[in-house]
Amino acid sequence: MAIQSVHAFSEKVALVTDGANPVGRAVALQLALLGSYVIVGFPENSAENTNALEELKSLGTLANAVETDLKTVEGARFLVGEVEKMFGRLDLLVNTLKFQGESSFLETSEDIWTKTINTNLKSAFFVTQSAIPLMKARPKPAIVNVAYSDEQSIAFSAVQAGLIGLTKSLAKEFAPKFRINCVEISKKENAKTEILDAQLFRPKSGIAEDDVARAIIYLLSSEAVGLNGQVLNVA
């Protein structure tokens, strides 16, 4: 990342909707290292969530956590309202909340379908709806939605397509003031290593969260000023 991009994040107010999500946690940590004030949402109070927040604070940044249920409109508005109380402004938003049920298509119940929509799509819709009025006065507001490619789960895949469609529609409606893009994480099979020397080659177990976070940071940065309504696939 170029030096100007690092400075561009200094004292920016950034909201990451799910700090318990490994990708969300990685994004929050990288934004903190770049000098942003970071607020992370958490679905519930737990030791894991507390540890994630303490790790942010250990970097010397002004970090805060807000416990809320983003599957509801009230929870989404509460999260953004807390950001407004803390800082009175918001520069960057990253929607990372994820739920993927294990049921097959024929076994998917209405409850699982509703939870899949509410967690992955409804949360992003209403957090963004609440955040845009708080962001519009900022000089370079940017939003990144995190989607996942998984053709094996039909319900989940359908909702992820909806999230990508939401990204593109929002980008058109709020251009040129806002830049709104999406990072899509592709499901990656483990590398086959039968013919590889284990002493020389270490098989990849998937996409590292830090690599995904760097792609998100890029889309939030001034280096991606020409990108709006785009889907960046991380494979």
Side-chain angles (χ1 to χ4, degrees), residues 47-229:
E48 181 182 351
N49 297 346
T50 301
N51 291 339
L53 177 60
E54 289 304 317
E55 188 171 1
L56 280 170
K57 289 183 175 179
S58 72
L59 298 175
T61 186
L62 182 57
N64 292 274
V66 177
E67 183 183 346
T68 187
D69 183 3
L70 291 181
K71 298 190 300 296
T72 68
V73 178
E74 294 77 16
R77 291 173 178 167
F78 176 78
L79 177 60
V80 177
E82 290 299 296
V83 175
E84 186 171 16
K85 287 179 184 178
M86 294 176 197
F87 297 100
R89 60 187 174 92
L90 179 61
D91 300 280
L92 309 171
L93 170 63
V94 184
N95 286 302
T96 60
L97 199 64
K98 175 189 177 186
F99 168 76
Q100 182 175 1
E102 298 298 327
S103 302
S104 67
F105 175 70
L106 293 178
E107 295 172 339
T108 299
S109 66
E110 183 179 0
D111 288 343
I112 293 297
W113 171 243
T114 300
K115 185 177 181 181
T116 303
I117 294 175
N118 289 352
T119 306
N120 298 283
L121 184 56
K122 182 179 178 180
S123 65
F125 186 102
F126 285 105
V127 168
T128 304
Q129 185 187 70
S130 300
I132 281 180
L134 188 60
M135 301 176 74
K136 63 182 180 181
R138 304 305 298 159
K140 298 178 181 179
I143 298 172
V144 174
N145 295 322
V146 179
Y148 297 83
S149 176
D150 186 355
E151 297 177 354
Q152 294 182 352
S153 176
I154 296 177
F156 183 72
S157 179
V159 173
Q160 296 306 299
L163 183 60
I164 291 172
L166 174 67
T167 301
K168 294 181 177 182
S169 295
L170 288 172
K172 289 181 180 180
E173 180 166 348
F174 293 98
K177 176 63 178 176
F178 284 77
R179 288 190 298 108
I180 304 175
N181 293 290
C182 180
V183 165
E184 184 180 23
I185 305 171
S186 294
K187 188 173 182 180
K188 189 173 184 178
E189 299 298 331
N190 292 352
K192 294 183 178 180
T193 59
E194 302 89 85
I195 61 173
L196 299 181
D197 186 337
Q199 298 296 322
L200 298 176
F201 300 97
R202 183 163 59 95
K204 295 182 179 180
S205 59
I207 303 165
E209 287 80 12
D210 285 344
D211 292 335
V212 178
R214 278 188 280 271
I216 294 170
I217 296 295
Y218 166 70
L219 288 176
L220 293 173
S221 76
S222 58
E223 292 181 7
V225 66
L227 300 180
N228 191 38

Side-chain angles (χ1 to χ4, degrees), residues 1 4-13 31 34-37 92 216-218 220-222:
M1 184 178 292
Q4 61 266 28
S5 294
V6 174
H7 291 317
F9 286 102
S10 179
E11 298 187 355
K12 294 274 190 179
V13 177
L31 285 170
L34 292 170
S36 295
Y37 301 136
L92 309 171
I216 294 170
I217 296 295
Y218 166 70
L220 293 173
S221 76
S222 58

